[in-house]
Amino acid sequence: MTQTTIGRRISLLHLCALATLFSFFSFAGGLPLLLACGEKPAPSPATTWVGLKDVTQGSLLFKTAESGRYIPAPALQTDAEITITGIVSRTKLKQEFINSSRNKDDWAEGIYVFPLPETAAVDHLRMKVGDRTIEGQIKERAEAKKIYDRAKQVGKRASLVEQERPNVFTTSVANIAPGDRITVEIEYQETVRYDQGTYSIRFPMVVGPRYIPGTPVVAEDQLSGPDWSSDTDRVPDASRITPPLAHPQQGPLNPVNLTIDLAAGFPLGKIESPYHDILDISDPDGRRHITLRNEDEPANRDFVLKWEPSRGISPTATAFQQLHNGGSYSLLMLSPPASPDMPVARQPREAIFVIDTSGSMAGTSIEQARAALLLALTRLTTQDRFNVIQFNSVTRVLFSQAQPVNTATIRKAVRYVERLHANGGTEILPAIKMALKGAAPPTHLRQVIFLTDGQVGNENELFEIIRSRLGGSRLFTIGIGSAPNSHFMRKAAEFGRGTFMHIGSVNEVKTQMDAMFRKLERPVLTGLQVEGLDEGAEMFPTRVPDLYDGEPIVVAVRSTVVPAALTFRGSIGGKPWFSTVPLRDSPSRDGMSVFWARRKIDWLMDQQRNDQNDDSAVRQAVTDVALAHHLAGKYTSLVAVDTDPVRPTDKSLINHAIKTNLPDGQVYEALFGLPRTAAGWQFQLMAGMAMLSAAGLLWMYGAAQVRLRP
């Protein structure tokens, strides 16, 4: 065989291999996006299909066997009505499921995975069909699911609200008739946040795509969730927290309309919505009516509202109480006693910066994280030591151990941070272990500052590592991006005896980082204890945390009678300090019992994380509190069922998982690799097959030429 012939055959082999790989990746990376959502319905001769030209807004369509024809899936419209009174916020969330199909046989079940604030206490469910309203009932989770499934099978309208994480819920709605709409109304309560003289609420709009570590596990006798990830050995419910994602080319889905009735309880100064345009109308009594300027905002980034008291008003202690079912419930919020401008002695620090450079940070998030870290480096002094850790699929550390702050080390760190870019997986566990490894000199306070969007599914695994390996460190979390995992941020900081904050845009980096470093650099009020509680009273948190500059502590108390007053005692700068808060004359307010119950459930769940061998006792205690206070949680769900069947049992019911938007600023291709378009895979497949055919013809031609040669 000549060298020319060998070269020709190698070239042909290369062509064949290339064509085969091209065809393979056409299937692997170019799966039709529309089929990725829910079950493809079996088309019937009577089906009323639509074409792409019939679609005038973002819609989810299922492909049919007929080219260019689609079946519309249920659409979703969300209305949020938020009422804020003092520091209590109550939200009525209306989710309207619309089955826009015109075929009388297209009965639908809609399933929607959506976010709520991580401190939300969900206590009411109503299902509205036409003029009728069906009140939901709180049940143990397994029982609620059975009630829903039984109603679904016999053709009754039903809705079910389940908690997947403290900040991720699922609504299921069964038997939506063609052309019909069913409204599911959920109510929840939370307290507003107070930090650095500013009150704020956050209304999350989208569950960001999370990194799921571990080996896929398929249980043949269990139904998996409707989503893009399989369950794994490290995230056994992964399929329930990874809702199907719409490609940005589809246009925004799931519009949201939001209104706020704000009665702050004091004259208001500045009101700000940093990420959305709003309309703000004042009442003569001081109330404010706030709406989104865009009536149907796409659900792709968190909404935040901040407000401040008028100049000269600086509340230091707030208390509310409620008598409910034979118990007295109280809420206390205590602000720091120190002035933000008070000169203080500065303690040397060992600062360990950990930055997330995984694919979910691609786009504006990595820009914000880089800017925040560069700013943080400039706040270090020659008293301090520092190091930088970055992680994606691999954890990398700048120095083998923390280094003193000098021109050479800071210059090297700045160059290192400026070159960071985002790709790969979110393997956060090795990074946390690395950050908590070792100890600072006795003269230094060790602080770990974590910059991440927190989009992971194995939160409990991470909390356990933080709790068991924290040692003398303090962990501070900085949430980056338009929709960070706030449950992970808040809880990680709580276990880390630190605090958390959020940076939603590059413009906020300096302001937010300055606020964070004021907390890190200033002394805190420590050793806090509460006096004046009756015997048998239950207070949460059971151990009052340290008080950071500008950020108050909030406690919930249940007792048999309203205490006359409670006294906080602690030390600041080594000197004794105390403050007494009167309770008996504090204003009465509904919802204090719900606030207490939510805090008690959080405390019980933390006990479960700390002692997994006592799971059954904790589970029963959590269930008892949730049922007594009508709260949906890990072990309880809200279910509503209509009285009469509406779907003939000989008609099939099609399951539809409602797609969600990609969080604003994230890059789809950085998360899911090759572009996925509805039509691209056909082209790639055809191109691959054409290349295989061409390779075969060339091979035959080459073989014939060899045979003809003498």
Side-chain angles (χ1 to χ4, degrees), residues 266-285:
F266 45 76
L268 283 170
K270 181 181 177 183
I271 291 184
E272 180 187 14
S273 165
Y275 313 125
H276 294 82
D277 292 333
I278 58 172
L279 298 175
D280 176 12
I281 302 173
S282 300
D283 256 1
D285 63 0

Side-chain angles (χ1 to χ4, degrees), residues 259-563:
T259 61
I260 298 175
D261 182 351
L262 172 60
F266 45 76
L268 283 170
K270 181 181 177 183
I271 291 184
E272 180 187 14
S273 165
Y275 313 125
H276 294 82
D277 292 333
I278 58 172
L279 298 175
D280 176 12
I281 302 173
S282 300
D283 256 1
D285 63 0
R287 300 168 78 95
R288 305 290 273 267
H289 302 278
I290 297 153
T291 59
L292 292 171
R293 184 182 290 273
N294 181 9
E295 191 173 359
D296 291 319
E297 192 73 26
N300 63 357
R301 74 170 305 149
D302 294 356
F303 171 84
V304 173
L305 185 73
K306 301 178 179 180
W307 62 97
E308 298 176 359
S310 295
R311 186 182 297 273
I313 297 177
S314 180
T316 56
T318 306
F320 299 101
Q321 51 88 19
Q322 178 193 17
L323 296 176
H324 178 72
N325 286 344
S328 165
Y329 297 87
S330 304
L331 178 152
L332 297 92
M333 186 174 76
L334 183 69
S335 299
S339 164
D341 300 323
M342 184 180 70
V344 294
R346 193 180 187 284
Q347 182 176 0
R349 299 184 295 132
E350 180 173 288
I352 309 298
F353 300 103
V354 186
I355 181 169
D356 180 352
T357 56
S358 63
S360 66
M361 295 283 287
T364 56
S365 294
I366 191 63
E367 296 175 17
Q368 296 161 20
R370 275 197 307 255
L373 184 45
L374 290 171
L375 185 63
L377 291 172
T378 67
R379 297 289 297 249
L380 297 172
T381 73
T382 53
Q383 290 181 301
D384 300 329
R385 297 155 49 90
F386 81 105
N387 206 347
V388 178
I389 298 171
Q390 67 149 320
F391 71 94
N392 41 52
S393 299
V394 178
T395 296
R396 296 180 173 85
V397 59
L398 175 58
F399 303 113
S400 57
Q401 58 184 356
Q403 295 293 303
V405 174
N406 56 47
T407 303
T409 55
I410 291 294
R411 180 179 289 133
K412 186 173 182 178
V414 168
R415 284 200 300 264
Y416 183 75
V417 173
E418 287 176 339
R419 290 198 297 267
L420 294 177
H421 62 277
N423 59 34
T426 314
E427 286 292 346
I428 193 171
L429 188 61
I432 289 180
K433 289 180 178 177
M434 175 70 75
L436 298 180
K437 188 178 178 182
T443 53
H444 286 60
L445 179 64
R446 194 167 196 269
Q447 298 173 335
V448 177
I449 300 99
F450 226 94
L451 299 100
T452 177
D453 60 10
Q455 297 296 5
V456 292
N458 56 327
E459 294 100 324
N460 283 345
E461 185 180 33
L462 303 175
F463 295 152
E464 173 57 25
I465 291 297
I466 295 170
R467 190 191 63 79
S468 62
R469 302 195 181 189
L470 183 67
S473 301
R474 298 290 186 273
L475 177 64
F476 299 81
T477 54
I478 300 176
I480 301 290
S482 58
N485 180 357
S486 53
H487 166 56
F488 172 75
M489 298 295 165
R490 181 187 294 268
K491 210 68 186 174
E494 185 178 319
F495 283 119
R497 301 176 67 185
T499 186
F500 75 100
M501 58 168 288
H502 172 239
I503 296 177
S505 76
V506 174
N507 296 333
E508 292 180 347
V509 168
K510 186 174 188 317
T511 304
Q512 297 287 58
M513 290 301 289
D514 282 346
M516 171 63 87
F517 276 93
R518 275 202 299 274
K519 295 178 184 176
L520 297 180
E521 295 163 1
R522 288 178 179 277
V524 295
L525 186 57
T526 57
L528 277 169
Q529 295 182 337
V530 178
E531 299 175 353
L533 291 172
D534 297 333
E535 186 176 352
E538 290 184 278
M539 183 187 76
F540 301 103
T542 55
R543 179 183 176 187
V544 183
D546 292 342
L547 190 63
Y548 292 95
D549 182 37
E551 184 173 345
I553 54 173
V554 179
V555 298
V557 177
R558 183 189 186 281
S559 54
T560 52
V561 296
V562 181

Side-chain angles (χ1 to χ4, degrees), residues 165-245:
R165 293 286 190 279
N167 62 340
V168 179
F169 285 71
T170 299
T171 297
S172 303
V173 182
N175 294 312
I176 313 173
D180 202 358
R181 55 184 63 204
I182 294 179
T183 300
V184 173
E185 197 173 279
I186 301 163
E187 286 191 31
Y188 68 85
Q189 176 179 300
E190 58 175 337
T191 53
V192 303
R193 190 174 184 207
Y194 179 75
D195 191 9
Q196 307 293 326
T198 300
Y199 296 82
S200 66
I201 59 162
R202 173 181 297 274
F203 178 75
M205 291 194 186
V206 62
V207 176
R210 299 186 176 200
Y211 178 74
I212 305 297
T215 304
V217 175
V218 178
E220 298 292 351
D221 61 342
Q222 293 182 3
L223 292 176
S224 62
D227 309 321
W228 56 260
S229 175
S230 300
D231 297 340
T232 74
D233 56 344
R234 292 170 63 186
V235 189
D237 62 345
S239 62
R240 298 189 63 85
I241 60 171
T242 50
L245 191 68

